[in-house]
Amino acid sequence: IFLLILVFIGKYYFAIKLKLLPIILSVFMCFGIYESILGVKDLYSNFHLLSFFQPKGTFPNSGPYAIYLSVHFVLAFIIILNSKKGVRIASKILLVLSILNLIISGLILPFTSSRTAWVAIICGIVFTIFQKYVLFEKFNNVFKSKFAKLVLISAITFLVFLPFRQVYKFKQNSADGRLLIWKVSLLMVNEAPVFGKEFNYFPKFYDNYQAEYFSEPRTEK
C-alpha cells in the first residue's frame, strides 16, 4: 500500500518537473523481483514436495503472495508495453527491471494455485491492451447499432465466463469454504449491521456462529 501511494504521489506531483516516476517505479519493481526470487528459493528448497508445495515469499501463505506478485506482473507489462526508444538511463533501468520482474514472477505464479491472482492478471492485461490500442472506440465505431453491440457484449461475456466453471472446479473445496464463511458472516452482520457489537468481535465469536450454523437441520440437494 505504501509503495502504491508513493507511485501515485510521484506520478501526480513530481513526475512532470523532477522526473522521479521511473525511479519510484524501479523501487517498486525491485520489491517484486525480491519477492519473486524468494519464491524461486522456496521452490528450489522444496522441490521434492513440488506436487503440493506453494511458494509464499515473506507472506503467511501463497494467496496474498500471489496477489502481491500479480500487481507487479501487470505493472511490469504496462511499462514494457509503453516503453519508448531513446529514453534516458532511468527509464532504461526501469524497463530492464520490469522485464526481469515479468519473467521471474511469471515463473512463480503458476505454482501458487491462486485463481484470484490469475484472473487479476488476465483482466489487467486485457484492459491495458484495450486502453493502449483504443479498442473500445474501434469496437464502438465498427458495431454502431445497439443490436450489434448487444451481440458483441453477450459474446464477450460468454467467452469470459466460460472457463469459470473449470476455475471453480480447480479448487472447489476452497471456493465452497469461502462461500460458507461469507454465509456465516452474514448471520453475524445481520445481528448488528450498522455499528457492530464490539471491537474484534469476528475472530472471537465466528467459530460459535459456524457451529450453530452446522447444528441447524437442513436439507441438502
Side-chain angles (χ1 to χ4, degrees):
I1 293 174
F2 169 75
L3 287 172
L4 283 175
I5 292 173
L6 197 61
V7 167
F8 284 116
I9 291 175
K11 179 178 179 181
Y12 292 108
Y13 294 99
F14 300 112
I16 297 176
K17 294 183 178 180
L18 302 180
K19 308 297 182 182
L20 289 179
L21 185 59
I23 298 174
I24 295 172
L25 288 172
S26 295
V27 174
F28 194 83
M29 288 294 107
C30 286
F31 275 89
I33 292 171
Y34 172 72
E35 287 290 345
S36 298
I37 291 174
L38 290 180
V40 172
K41 184 180 178 182
D42 286 344
L43 287 176
Y44 179 78
S45 302
N46 299 274
F47 190 76
H48 59 291
L49 305 173
L50 195 59
S51 59
F52 58 89
F53 175 78
Q54 297 171 353
K56 59 182 181 179
T58 60
F59 289 77
N61 61 66
S62 62
Y65 174 65
I67 294 170
Y68 180 80
L69 290 184
S70 69
V71 176
H72 289 82
F73 188 95
V74 174
L75 183 57
F77 177 81
I78 293 171
I79 293 170
I80 295 170
L81 190 65
N82 291 279
S83 62
K84 300 177 181 179
K85 295 182 179 179
V87 293
R88 59 198 184 97
I89 188 66
S91 297
K92 291 181 179 179
I93 293 174
L94 174 60
L95 178 60
V96 172
L97 291 173
S98 299
I99 294 173
L100 287 174
N101 202 331
L102 196 73
I103 293 173
I104 303 174
S105 61
L107 293 173
I108 294 300
L109 281 165
F111 294 98
T112 61
S113 299
S114 174
R115 296 164 301 182
T116 303
W118 300 346
V119 172
I121 288 172
I122 293 172
C123 292
I125 290 175
V126 170
F127 181 79
T128 300
I129 293 174
F130 268 71
Q131 288 290 96
K132 172 67 176 179
Y133 299 105
V134 201
L135 295 182
F136 290 109
E137 294 183 10
K138 291 180 180 178
F139 279 126
N140 191 45
N141 293 330
V142 174
F143 300 91
K144 294 182 179 180
S145 68
K146 292 183 178 179
F147 176 76
K149 291 178 180 179
L150 179 62
V151 172
L152 176 64
I153 293 173
S154 301
I156 293 175
T157 304
F158 175 77
L159 292 174
V160 169
F161 285 97
L162 184 64
F164 269 35
R165 179 175 176 81
Q166 296 302 322
V167 173
Y168 166 72
K169 290 289 184 180
F170 176 69
K171 292 171 64 178
Q172 182 174 346
N173 291 336
S174 174
D176 292 341
R178 295 186 187 195
L179 289 173
L180 171 65
I181 292 173
W182 295 344
K183 189 181 295 185
V184 175
S185 298
L186 285 175
L187 298 177
M188 302 175 68
V189 172
N190 188 50
E191 293 185 357
V194 181
F195 298 105
K197 290 195 172 183
E198 63 180 68
F199 176 74
N200 216 27
Y201 183 83
F202 180 86
K204 290 180 181 178
F205 298 99
Y206 172 81
D207 289 342
N208 296 339
Y209 281 84
Q210 183 168 297
E212 183 178 350
Y213 174 82
F214 282 121
S215 67
E216 296 177 357
R218 57 178 50 82
T219 303
E220 298 292 344
K221 294 183 180 180

